[in-house]
């Protein structure tokens, strides 16, 4: 038997064609879709309303490549990181972050990452491949079950802040989000989904047109091109003017504010020049700024700035009426925090 596709790689038109070719009725498409996307079954034999004949046919032609949990790590702050093995043995990580009001799922979009942010451990991994839409979806389905089990409630928020650059796999990300929103399935509201990107202008324009109604977070980290290129070298190909242009377009189409993610690094972007540059950029497209704590990744050139510098940034931005928050890191002790996902079988740096 040759290579069998996951049945979820077929869209409903392709599935319909398959059924018709095999002398089965079209309405089977809806039944199968209900089992795989809404109920998330891992085996055709569990599809109780279809005949044995059809089950055998599905089995012969397709697979359901469900991921396997290899290991989980629990942080002292309640965060749980999962190491997940895909059908081809590649590993990814996904994180469950509980708090009083919410349970956030942080999911991956690629195996590894092709970007080169100097402060991010994931960038040291090579990008092996993009995740299929069902692999993105499966992380959420799995984390949702875990959330119900451990925290007695469903996931409330989804962030694409795991491994990879979601906009370099945007077709699968978009498909997965559409499946996450299915009313009879996971039933997620787009408002609770945040795509985090390092800033790929062309794709920002594409997804603006997709009418997903999701939130967009942009990993800015510096509003000065030269500094940005030093810490995120790939950004040389995507100058800030282009990025901002694409964000203007995003806002025009979606009317949804941008969230800028910003780490203030000691001695790199913690001076007044960088503060003023950030203020200037924030005035172009309606936005909020989220200062994020730098999570150590064993890289000596990067350090979190002094508290006074953070305060200074906050004071200047607030004076200008720019909404800003500071996000405390979660799951650092188990290397589950932003930038720390690297399939490392150890705890702490
Ligand atoms: N590729 C996407 C999503 C993954 S990273 C992106 O770049 O947005 C999610 C967030 O974590 C990004 O804002 C990223 O810049 C940030 N990050 C990366 N390394 C970090 C580190 N060591 N400490 C804190 N945040 C980090």
């Amino acid at each position: 038997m040759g290579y069998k596709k996951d049945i979820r790689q077929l869209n409903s038109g392709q599935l319909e064609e398959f059924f018709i070719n095999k002398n089965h009725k079209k309405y089977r498409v809806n039944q199968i879709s209900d089992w795989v996307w809404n109920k998330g079954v891992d085996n055709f034999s569990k599809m109780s309303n279809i005949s044995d004949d059809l089950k055998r046919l599905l089995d012969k032609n397709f697979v359901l490549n469900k991921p396997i949990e290899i290991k989980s790590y629990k942080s002292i702050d309640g965060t749980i990181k999962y190491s997940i093995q895909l059908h081809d043995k590649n590993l990814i990580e996904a994180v469950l972050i509980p708090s009083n009001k919410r349970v956030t799922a942080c999911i991956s979009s690629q195996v590894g990452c092709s970007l080169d942010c100097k402060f991010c451990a994931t960038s040291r991994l090579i990008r092996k491949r993009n995740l299929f839409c069902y692999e993105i979806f499966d992380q959420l389905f799995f984390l949702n079950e875990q959330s119900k089990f451990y925290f007695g409630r469903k996931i409330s928020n989804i962030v694409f802040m795991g491994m990879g650059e979601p906009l370099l796999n945007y077709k699968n990300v978009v498909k997965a989000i559409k499946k996450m929103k299915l009313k009879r399935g996971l039933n997620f509201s787009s408002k609770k989904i945040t795509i985090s990107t390092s800033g790929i202008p062309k794709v920002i324009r594409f997804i603006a047109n997709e009418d997903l109604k999701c939130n967009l977070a942009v990993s800015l980290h510096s509003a000065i091109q030269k500094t940005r290129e030093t810490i995120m070298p790939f950004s040389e190909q995507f100058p800030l003017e282009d990025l901002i242009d694409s964000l203007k377009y995003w806002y025009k189409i979606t009317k949804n504010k941008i969230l800028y993610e910003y780490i203030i690094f000691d001695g790199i972007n913690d001076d007044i020049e960088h503060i003023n540059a950030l203020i200037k950029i924030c005035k172009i497209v309606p936005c909020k700024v989220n200062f994020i704590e730098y999570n150590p990744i064993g890289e000596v050139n990067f350090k979190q700035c002094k508290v006074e510098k953070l305060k200074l940034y906050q004071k200047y931005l607030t004076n200008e009426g720019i909404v800003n928050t500071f996000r405390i890191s979660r799951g650092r002790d188990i290397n589950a925090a932003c930038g720390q996902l690297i399939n490392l079988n150890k705890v702490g740096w």
Side-chain angles (χ1 to χ4, degrees):
M1 189 77 216
Y3 165 78
K4 286 196 275 185
K5 263 190 188 173
D6 190 296
I7 195 165
R8 295 170 295 173
Q9 271 171 262
L10 274 62
N11 62 30
S12 37
Q14 292 164 322
L15 204 51
E16 187 175 306
E17 202 182 311
F18 171 81
F19 285 130
I20 291 169
N21 281 340
K22 301 283 180 190
N23 296 320
H24 281 275
K25 297 272 186 289
K26 288 208 297 210
Y27 72 84
R28 294 293 184 194
V29 174
N30 289 341
Q31 282 183 328
I32 305 296
S33 301
D34 184 48
W35 282 112
V36 297
W37 297 115
N38 298 339
K39 301 195 174 84
V41 289
D42 57 2
N43 205 302
F44 298 119
S45 67
K46 293 185 181 160
M47 302 179 170
S48 56
N49 58 356
I50 65 169
S51 67
D52 286 349
D53 242 18
L54 184 50
K55 282 180 197 161
R56 270 194 295 275
L57 179 72
L58 294 177
D59 233 356
K60 202 173 140 206
N61 288 278
F62 303 108
V63 282
L64 281 165
N65 285 326
K66 284 286 175 173
I68 304 168
E69 174 193 336
I70 294 290
K71 210 170 161 147
S72 65
Y73 305 80
K74 293 199 177 67
S75 160
I76 42 168
D77 68 21
T79 298
I80 310 177
K81 178 173 86 168
Y82 296 91
S83 174
I84 293 170
Q85 185 182 289
L86 306 172
H87 68 279
D88 58 359
K89 301 269 187 282
N90 273 313
L91 291 179
I92 52 164
E93 292 181 328
V95 187
L96 205 51
I97 310 155
S99 66
N100 287 345
K101 290 199 199 127
R102 38 173 102 160
V103 182
T104 303
C106 173
I107 56 183
S108 296
S109 54
Q110 298 180 311
V111 180
C113 188
S114 57
L115 300 181
D116 52 8
C117 306
K118 297 282 181 217
F119 48 86
C120 177
T122 313
S123 77
R124 294 179 195 151
L125 303 176
I126 54 160
R127 189 212 71 117
K128 288 207 184 144
R129 67 169 175 86
N130 282 342
L131 295 188
F132 289 107
C133 80
Y134 63 81
E135 291 171 322
I136 299 171
F137 174 88
D138 279 343
Q139 291 172 65
L140 187 67
F141 200 90
F142 167 73
L143 290 179
N144 201 40
E145 294 304 307
Q146 295 289 308
S147 179
K148 286 190 263 179
F149 179 77
Y150 282 109
F151 310 121
R153 55 208 158 115
K154 296 203 307 192
I155 284 165
S156 56
N157 297 69
I158 305 167
V159 294
F160 280 85
M161 295 190 187
M163 291 175 158
E165 167 51 49
L167 295 197
L168 292 179
N169 183 19
Y170 77 97
K171 284 193 179 146
N172 286 305
V173 167
V174 168
K175 279 190 212 160
I177 289 177
K178 289 185 176 159
K179 299 300 181 192
M180 292 168 184
K181 285 162 66 171
L182 290 176
K183 289 269 176 302
R184 284 161 50 84
L186 288 171
N187 191 19
F188 265 95
S189 150
S190 317
K191 287 186 198 128
K192 303 288 177 185
I193 304 176
T194 301
I195 300 177
S196 175
T197 177
S198 287
I200 319 288
K202 195 168 135 192
V203 191
I204 290 176
R205 287 195 183 88
F206 277 136
I207 57 156
N209 291 332
E210 285 287 342
D211 195 29
L212 288 173
K213 304 204 165 52
C214 292
N215 304 302
L216 185 68
V218 176
S219 304
L220 189 62
H221 305 313
S222 171
I224 296 180
Q225 179 67 20
K226 235 175 146 188
T227 311
R228 202 161 184 262
E229 278 175 26
T230 321
I231 57 177
M232 304 163 84
F234 74 90
S235 68
E236 200 184 329
Q237 301 165 56
F238 308 113
L240 277 166
E241 300 92 82
D242 290 357
L243 178 58
I244 297 303
D245 262 358
S246 71
L247 298 177
K248 277 189 203 162
Y249 183 77
W250 163 273
Y251 187 76
K252 191 175 107 190
I253 301 289
T254 67
K255 294 281 169 289
N256 202 350
K257 279 187 189 169
I258 305 291
L259 180 74
Y260 289 121
E261 293 164 278
Y262 202 100
I263 309 172
I264 313 169
F265 296 105
D266 185 47
I268 294 177
N269 59 354
D270 60 355
D271 53 31
I272 190 72
E273 199 192 341
H274 282 88
I275 298 180
N276 285 330
L278 178 60
I279 290 172
K280 211 168 146 198
I281 273 198
C282 286
K283 290 189 171 170
I284 304 176
V285 185
C287 65
K288 288 186 282 190
V289 176
N290 197 359
F291 293 111
I292 55 183
E293 248 184 314
Y294 170 63
N295 300 308
I297 58 156
E299 180 60 68
V300 287
N301 296 330
F302 292 103
K303 265 199 282 170
Q304 169 72 33
C305 71
K306 301 196 175 57
V307 184
E308 306 90 81
K309 298 293 172 96
L310 167 69
K311 295 247 166 76
L312 200 64
Y313 256 97
Q314 291 180 310
K315 192 175 123 194
Y316 272 78
L317 263 67
T318 307
N319 280 347
E320 295 287 339
I322 301 161
V323 176
N324 61 93
T325 47
F326 176 63
R327 186 172 84 209
I328 292 174
S329 251
R330 301 285 306 272
R332 254 190 198 176
D333 56 327
I334 53 163
N335 295 331
C338 274
Q340 293 187 317
L341 301 182
I342 193 174
N343 294 327
L344 206 62
N345 205 350
K346 74 165 190 152
V347 167
W349 286 95

